[in-house]
Amino acid sequence: MSLTAVAEAVGGRLADVIDPGVQVTEPAVFDSREAGPGSLFVALAGEHADGHAFAESAHNKGAVVALVNRPVGVPAIVVDDVLHAFGTLAHTLLTGPLAATRVIAITGSAGKTSTKDFVSQVLPGSVVATPQSFNNEIGLPLTVTMADTTTDHLVLEMGARHIGDIRDLTLVAPPDISIVTNVGTAHIGEFGCRDNIAEAKGEIVEALAPGGLAVLNADDDYVQPMRERAGGSVVTFGLGEDADVRATDLSTDAHGRTSFTLVTPEGSAPVQLQFVGGVQVHNSLAAAAVGRGAGLTPEEIAARLSRAVPRSRWRMETVTRADGVTIVNDAYNANPTSVRHALEALASMSGGAEQRSVAVLGRMNELGDDARAAHEEIGRHAAAQGLAMIVLVGGDEAGWMRDGVRDAGGRATWVPDQEAALGLLHPALRPGDVVLVKASRAVQLQRLVEELLKPAPPAGRLTGGSR
């Protein structure tokens, strides 16, 4: 699009522009370090930095224009509200040059990103998908600008912290297919209760046009009723016989990867997942339902699911050190549902004296008044998995998890910080051990993973004290 066309689309005015016919040819960026020739720089004002201060830097790297709320001395389009204008631009792209691109929207309390990875690898043709977890009012329009007229499918995560958030995102990117993975307790501190979370997640189904498709988890009591909110057709997925797309004959290998028989109305086929964790069965079934909607046969879907690999970092990312210790990095985010699933996956990956399981857990954020009870419950669930060692990192939340472990008759070690955790783990781990590291993103436990992946000092003896 020319600078003139972009300005018209967002209702802005050109400032410091010499040639309004210059074309924006590359995706938008909101980090000036990622700007390049042909890109559009979105100058967002954040809590700690104002993007307007970096417009010149983006221009020097090749960005042809900046989207701003005041002139900045380089070619710019001035609008009243930068973020609103950016969403308007994305909507203009989807209703104009990208009108033929099918939009697949995914939401849920857990599993959005893994489902996105499955869907993007099951669908035929050219697919653009949300990078990392860019699932809000910034990341969604950014993803839209990554597509072009050759893109057949645009796979978008949609997150929410309040009722109405997903509705706003669907106004930017109206979905052709909507997926709801589950309704758990993530962000319950913001929503107040699961009924409100279900109300918010269901907005993605209400946004479907009459010819759209809702893909719903048949095993989730909060998701099933959303079929009444769908304007189009509905396909369900799950393990029960009432699901349209389901899995039978489940088994798990020593690496925590599940195989199953994919069952659809058109037939069945065997699947061997490359993703770790039993929860990935549901995520893959959601993708299978989408593939079925795209006209793929059960055999084609099963083959694509079996080839699919994790594409998003720090989500059950599994690396085995040279000494045989396996580190499972699931430190991107955490909520009660995802932590339970991760602990169950850990238990399935280890067993016996030669392959011990170690869980390293930090706090879960945004749980509000339920925070203590939720952390205590996670402690009890961890104790029930028969793990060799449980290490809890941080402040009060770690202490609450420790209390839960004790309530269930288990033992845990509570350490104040990552340095103490590293000092405990390095001499304790030995070949064959499997270590899960998981916490909310703000805890930054991926830093502990980075240290654990470095050459370790001589192995010591695994012990599990408690504080």
Side-chain angles (χ1 to χ4, degrees):
M1 297 175 70
S2 69
L3 302 192
T4 298
V6 175
E8 289 177 353
V10 301
R13 63 179 178 86
L14 299 175
D16 299 303
V17 171
I18 297 174
D19 181 5
V22 169
Q23 300 277 314
V24 179
T25 58
E26 296 297 320
V29 298
F30 56 85
D31 184 335
S32 62
R33 294 168 295 186
E34 297 177 0
S39 63
L40 178 149
F41 175 66
V42 183
L44 297 174
E47 182 178 348
H48 302 293
D50 187 345
H52 291 75
F54 301 93
E56 183 177 359
S57 175
H59 174 72
N60 292 338
K61 288 181 177 291
V64 295
V65 72
L67 189 61
V68 298
N69 60 24
R70 61 181 183 273
V72 287
V74 297
I77 297 171
V78 182
V79 296
D80 292 333
D81 184 327
V82 173
L83 192 54
H84 182 266
F86 191 31
T88 299
L89 176 60
H91 184 76
T92 300
L93 291 172
L94 286 171
T95 54
L98 301 179
T101 301
R102 296 188 82 198
V103 174
I104 296 90
I106 305 169
T107 196
S109 296
K112 293 186 295 294
T113 300
S114 293
T115 301
K116 171 203 68 180
D117 286 351
F118 275 120
V119 170
S120 65
Q121 293 174 79
V122 164
L123 285 170
S126 173
V127 181
V128 169
T130 300
Q132 300 179 48
S133 284
F134 286 7
N135 59 24
N136 61 11
E137 68 275 17
I138 302 171
L140 184 137
L142 180 73
T143 306
V144 173
T145 71
M146 296 169 62
D148 59 33
T149 54
T150 68
T151 303
D152 298 302
H153 305 282
L154 185 60
V155 185
L156 301 173
E157 288 186 49
M158 293 187 178
R161 283 181 168 81
H162 307 92
I163 291 175
D165 286 353
I166 289 177
R167 183 178 296 111
D168 290 343
L169 295 176
T170 61
L171 291 175
V172 173
D176 297 293
I177 299 175
S178 292
I179 302 172
V180 184
T181 61
N182 49 58
V183 172
T185 54
H187 311 304
I188 198 167
E190 300 287 344
F191 285 105
C193 64
R194 287 182 73 184
D195 286 334
N196 288 343
I197 295 174
E199 178 65 26
K201 300 301 183 185
E203 292 169 359
I204 205 170
V205 176
E206 292 177 343
L208 287 167
L213 173 66
V215 177
L216 304 178
N217 186 344
D219 296 334
D220 190 306
D221 291 339
Y222 284 85
V223 175
Q224 287 190 62
M226 293 182 192
R227 64 168 57 245
E228 304 301 325
R229 300 166 68 178
S233 57
V234 175
V235 172
T236 60
F237 64 91
L239 303 183
E241 292 186 2
D242 58 337
D244 300 313
V245 177
R246 58 194 179 95
T248 62
D249 309 319
L250 279 70
S251 63
T252 303
D253 67 16
H255 301 287
R257 300 172 303 194
T258 304
S259 62
F260 61 89
T261 300
L262 171 67
V263 180
T264 76
E266 294 75 32
S268 60
V271 175
Q272 172 61 68
L273 297 180
Q274 304 304 312
F275 288 61
V276 173
V279 68
Q280 303 297 351
V281 174
H282 277 83
N283 298 335
S284 67
L285 289 175
V290 174
R292 178 173 172 263
L296 299 178
T297 66
E299 292 77 14
E300 290 171 327
I301 295 169
R304 289 169 183 257
L305 288 177
S306 298
R307 290 195 300 266
V309 295
R311 288 179 170 176
S312 303
R313 294 203 63 194
W314 307 343
R315 295 169 180 84
M316 298 301 286
E317 187 176 47
T318 304
V319 178
T320 300
R321 300 189 325 200
D323 64 355
V325 173
T326 297
I327 309 296
V328 182
N329 184 354
D330 200 25
Y332 190 88
N333 216 337
N335 60 64
T337 301
S338 67
V339 177
R340 284 194 297 271
H341 289 157
L343 288 168
E344 291 161 6
L346 171 65
S348 73
M349 296 172 67
S350 55
E354 299 304 317
Q355 194 175 38
R356 303 171 304 173
S357 52
V358 179
V360 183
L361 306 175
R363 74 174 183 271
M364 302 174 290
N365 287 340
E366 298 181 337
L367 295 176
D369 293 339
D370 293 336
R372 180 165 194 147
H375 283 88
E376 290 176 349
E377 175 56 32
I378 286 300
R380 287 189 287 272
H381 194 70
Q385 303 308 309
L387 310 178
M389 188 176 186
I390 302 170
V391 180
L392 308 170
V393 184
D396 290 343
E397 295 86 354
W400 297 337
M401 285 189 282
R402 187 275 314 270
D403 293 343
V405 173
R406 286 181 172 178
D407 288 345
R411 299 181 67 198
T413 302
W414 177 16
V415 296
D417 51 38
Q418 297 189 45
E419 183 177 359
L422 183 66
L424 175 71
L425 291 165
H426 255 332
L429 299 176
R430 68 189 189 197
D433 291 346
V434 182
V435 184
L436 167 72
V437 181
K438 188 165 182 63
S440 282
R441 181 72 182 275
V443 182
Q444 297 286 294
L445 275 192
Q446 76 275 4
R447 296 174 181 172
L448 176 61
V449 173
E450 292 169 0
E451 295 301 318
L452 286 172
L453 289 175
K454 294 177 180 178
R461 181 180 178 184
L462 185 66
T463 59
S466 62
R467 175 180 135 187

